[in-house]
């Protein structure tokens, strides 16, 4: 499972948790089964592009960012993103002149050797295919699984990978802090952009996210320590959710987000929220 696939799976889980959708609900409202969604959400297999779009639709969220993540993950999954292998070194052994005839009997020996390789390859394919089929029928049917905790054998942990100061300046999605966060406050700017202050109790950290933005907009967040910001660089950023990095918070901490529009005459708009309190807009 690549880092890109891990990031996509974490984003899908956050979206599902935020929308309050169970596996059963996803199966009922999409063309994909519970077992399929269980695999997609936990990184066991790469979801189809349509499944990503369906989840965004059900969660009433823009699909631009997740589709961009899917494109990257799919390119690594399929091998399209793998760099081509370097050319093999030139063969320094002497080669016969094209007009020279091979020694007598060489062609027949090569033909027999080629046939032997084909037979061996076919036998190997049959053996491997039979073993795979046997395993398929012996494995338990994952359709019977309920919406409960996943078995310990799943190679991806739901536990956050940082807490407090260890989260400072880091990506909430990659560090598994973005699963089921609290929204401390929401704000809509004069330009129509949406901003939210998010908080993870498990990670002891907060961050801001924005959407419906314009190229050139900027969002900053701080909780009295370092300031972390994100810049809307292109139309893909403007069409989806964009997150700042995390900042450490404690109960009672005040988190402040400031939005700077791209237009030169636009005013900076800030609002604050206390961890455990309410948001307060300001200029």
């Amino acid at each position: 499972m690549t880092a890109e696939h891990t990031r996509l799976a974490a984003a899908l889980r956050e979206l599902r948790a935020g929308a309050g959708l169970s596996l059963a609900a996803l199966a009922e409202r999409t063309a994909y089964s519970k077992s399929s969604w269980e695999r997609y959400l936990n990184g066991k297999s790469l979801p189809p592009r349509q499944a990503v779009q369906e989840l965004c639709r059900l969660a009433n969220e823009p699909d631009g960012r997740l589709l961009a993540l899917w494109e990257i993950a799919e390119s690594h999954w399929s091998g399209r993103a793998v760099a081509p292998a370097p050319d093999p070194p030139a063969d320094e052994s002497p080669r016969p002149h094209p007009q020279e005839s091979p020694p007598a009997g060489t062609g027949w020996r090569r033909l027999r050797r080629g046939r032997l390789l084909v037979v061996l390859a076919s036998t190997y394919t049959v053996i491997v295919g039979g073993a795979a089929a046997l395993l398929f029928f012996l494995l338990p049917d994952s359709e019977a699984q309920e919406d409960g905790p996943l078995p310990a054998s799943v190679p991806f942990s739901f536990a956050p990978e940082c807490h407090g100061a260890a989260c400072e300046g880091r990506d909430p999605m990659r560090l598994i802090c973005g699963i089921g966060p609290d929204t401390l406050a929401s704000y809509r700017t004069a330009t129509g952009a949406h901003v939210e202050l998010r908080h993870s109790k498990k990670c002891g950290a907060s961050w801001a996210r924005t959407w419906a933005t314009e190229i050139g907009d900027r969002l900053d967040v701080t909780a009295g320590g370092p300031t972390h910001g994100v810049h809307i660089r292109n139309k893909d950023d403007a069409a989806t959710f964009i997150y700042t990095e995390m900042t450490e918070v404690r109960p009672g901490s005040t988190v402040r987000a400031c939005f700077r529009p791209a237009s030169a005459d636009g005013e900076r708009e800030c609002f604050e929220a206390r961890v455990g309190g309410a948001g307060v807009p300001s200029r």
Side-chain angles (χ1 to χ4, degrees):
M1 185 167 163
T2 64
E4 293 77 14
H5 189 186
T6 298
R7 188 175 184 183
L8 173 64
L12 292 174
R13 287 194 298 274
E14 182 195 16
L15 193 58
R16 174 215 175 192
L21 295 166
S22 67
L23 293 180
L26 288 173
E28 290 173 0
R29 301 169 68 180
T30 69
Y32 306 94
S33 66
K34 285 174 58 178
S35 61
S36 295
W37 279 113
E38 187 271 334
R39 292 194 300 272
Y40 302 156
L41 293 169
N42 295 288
K44 296 178 182 178
S45 62
L46 186 73
R49 180 186 177 90
Q50 183 64 32
V52 175
Q53 291 176 310
E54 286 292 296
L55 180 54
C56 292
R57 177 183 62 81
L58 293 174
N60 195 28
E61 300 280 7
D63 62 10
R65 175 177 174 275
L66 281 176
L67 289 180
L69 288 176
W70 181 88
E71 291 285 351
I72 298 172
E74 193 278 333
S75 66
H76 285 78
W77 181 278
S78 63
R80 291 187 293 107
V82 178
D87 295 332
D91 187 0
E92 298 180 358
S93 60
R95 298 183 179 182
H97 193 276
Q99 296 180 351
E100 292 178 358
S101 301
T106 302
W108 175 245
R109 287 196 299 271
R110 288 179 179 174
L111 179 60
R112 292 175 58 188
R113 186 183 307 157
R115 288 179 177 175
L116 177 60
L117 290 175
V118 169
V119 171
L120 291 175
S122 300
T123 303
Y124 177 80
T125 301
V126 170
I127 293 173
V128 173
L134 179 60
L135 287 174
F136 176 81
F137 285 109
L138 290 178
L139 287 175
D141 185 3
S142 57
E143 285 286 353
Q145 295 177 357
E146 297 296 330
D147 293 351
L150 294 170
S153 59
V154 175
F156 186 82
S157 172
F158 285 103
E161 297 182 10
C162 69
H163 183 81
C167 296
E168 189 74 52
R170 305 183 72 181
D171 188 330
M173 302 298 294
R174 283 188 174 273
L175 277 295
I176 324 299
C177 296
I179 298 180
D182 297 323
T183 299
L184 297 178
S186 300
Y187 182 76
R188 185 169 183 176
T189 71
T191 61
H194 295 266
V195 182
E196 287 182 344
L197 281 171
R198 309 281 271 176
H199 170 63
S200 170
K201 295 179 181 178
K202 293 182 178 180
C203 291
S206 290
W207 63 94
R209 72 171 181 175
T210 184
W211 68 98
T213 53
E214 297 178 1
I215 298 174
D217 290 348
R218 181 176 179 84
L219 177 65
D220 295 320
V221 67
T222 183
T227 297
H228 304 291
V230 65
H231 183 253
I232 310 304
R233 299 166 298 177
N234 51 49
K235 63 180 181 179
D236 291 332
D237 287 350
T240 186
F241 289 109
I242 294 295
Y243 296 80
T244 68
E245 296 168 331
M246 292 184 285
T247 185
E248 178 187 10
V249 297
R250 296 181 176 85
S253 294
T254 298
V255 189
R256 179 181 177 89
C258 290
F259 179 86
R260 295 182 176 88
S263 58
D265 57 347
E267 296 184 30
R268 187 180 73 160
E269 299 175 63
C270 299
F271 69 106
E272 298 177 346
R274 185 170 59 85
V275 177
V280 180
S282 62
R283 289 283 183 180

